[in-house]
Amino acid sequence: MCDLPPIDPKIEASWKEALWDEFQKPYFRELKKFLVEEKASKQVVYPPGSKIFTAFNLTPLDEVKVVLLGQDPYHGPNQAHGLCFSVLEPTKPPPSLVNIYKEIHRDLGIPAPEHGNLSSWARQGVFMLNTALTVRKGQAGSHRKKGWEQFTDAVIRTVSERNKNLVFLLWGRDAQSKENLVGEGHLVLKTTHPSPFSARHGFEGCSHFSRTNAYLKEHGKAEINWEID
C-alpha cells in the first residue's frame, strides 16, 4: 500500500491529524472503493458525500464534551446529514427523536421543537456519531460490515484517549457494545434505545440530559443547552 497515493478526506483538521493513519489502512481503502462502486452502479447513498463527516466538522476533537452513539444513518430522502438521530428541515422528527424530545421536556422542561436538526448540539461539543456513516437508500443497515465499524471504533478510542471527563451516552445494545472502547475517567450513561419499541423500558425517565450537565459542571465545563434553536 505504500506506493498508493494517500487518502485525504475532507474532514476537520484536528480529526484529520488524529485519524490520518487510519485513513491509509487497507480496510479504509476497501471501504472507499466500495463507496465509489456504489456510486458507479447508480445506487443512492445517504448522506451525500459532502455530509458524511458532518459530526467531525461541527465538533473538533478537542471540543468534544459528550459522545452520543447511533447506529447507521436514516435511509430516506432529506433525512441523514451526518449527525446521529438528526434530520434536516423540513423533515419532521422521526419517532426516536420525538422520544428524545419528550425526555428532554420531562427532564429539563424544554419544549420540543418542530424540526429535527440537532446541529446546535454539535456546535456545543456533542459529538453525534453513527457506527456506520453511510447507507443505501431504503435499505437500513446496508453499509454495515463494510469497514465503517472498524473506523468508528478507532474514532471512539481516539476521543476517549485524547479528551478528559467526557460523557458517553450509550442508548441500546448496539451502542452499549462499544463501552469496552471507552477508557477510564469518563462518565458512561446507559439505557435502552429511544425507539418506540424500547423507550418505555428505560429511556423514559433516564434523566441523561440533566445528569450530563451536572457532570460537565462538576468538571468545570460549560453545560449543554439542550434547547434546539
Side-chain angles (χ1 to χ4, degrees):
M1 289 295 178
C2 60
D3 58 338
L4 295 175
I7 293 179
D8 190 4
K10 295 180 180 179
I11 189 172
E12 189 274 334
S14 63
W15 284 110
K16 180 182 288 189
E17 181 276 328
L19 299 171
W20 182 259
D21 290 343
E22 209 67 30
F23 291 127
Q24 311 313 317
K25 291 182 178 179
Y27 85 86
F28 197 89
R29 291 183 177 276
E30 287 299 314
L31 172 60
K32 182 178 180 181
K33 180 182 177 182
F34 166 75
L35 294 173
V36 170
E37 290 172 348
E38 285 281 85
K39 184 176 181 179
S41 63
K42 306 299 183 182
Q43 296 293 340
V44 176
V45 173
Y46 297 130
S50 63
K51 298 187 186 308
I52 290 175
F53 294 112
T54 297
F56 302 81
N57 293 333
L58 291 184
T59 315
L61 177 56
D62 61 353
E63 295 180 16
V64 176
K65 295 186 288 188
V66 180
V67 178
L68 174 57
L69 291 183
Q71 297 176 16
D72 59 343
Y74 296 116
H75 52 84
N78 200 41
Q79 291 183 317
H81 64 117
L83 302 177
C84 69
F85 295 106
S86 182
V87 293
L88 290 172
E89 303 96 325
T91 304
K92 292 183 178 180
S96 291
L97 184 52
V98 169
N99 284 334
I100 291 172
Y101 286 164
K102 287 180 179 177
E103 177 57 22
I104 292 174
H105 179 67
R106 188 209 62 79
D107 189 16
L108 299 172
I110 295 172
E114 295 182 359
H115 68 84
N117 189 334
L118 306 180
S119 296
S120 64
W121 292 359
R123 294 188 182 97
Q124 297 177 72
V126 182
F127 183 53
M128 288 176 276
L129 179 70
N130 279 312
T131 54
L133 299 189
T134 57
V135 68
R136 187 182 291 182
K137 178 183 178 181
Q139 298 182 37
S142 52
H143 285 187
R144 289 189 176 192
K145 299 182 180 180
K146 301 296 184 181
W148 278 129
E149 291 86 353
Q150 187 171 343
F151 173 71
T152 53
D153 282 0
V155 171
I156 295 168
R157 290 192 198 96
T158 297
V159 71
S160 173
E161 292 169 358
R162 296 208 180 193
N163 294 38
K164 296 181 179 180
N165 304 128
L166 301 178
V167 181
F168 285 81
L169 300 178
L170 307 183
W171 300 338
R173 284 180 292 182
D174 280 5
Q176 290 169 25
S177 71
K178 305 297 183 181
E179 185 177 4
N180 66 310
L181 304 174
V182 180
E184 297 182 356
H186 305 294
L187 175 65
V188 177
L189 297 177
K190 299 182 290 184
T191 189
T192 61
H193 194 275
S195 77
F197 301 104
S198 56
R200 296 180 182 178
H201 304 291
F203 184 81
E204 292 180 4
C206 69
S207 299
H208 279 188
F209 304 96
S210 61
R211 292 171 67 185
T212 292
N213 278 350
Y215 181 84
L216 294 176
K217 183 177 180 180
E218 178 185 350
H219 289 86
K221 298 184 179 184
E223 299 173 49
I224 305 299
N225 177 8
W226 296 106
E227 185 170 5
I228 303 299
D229 57 21

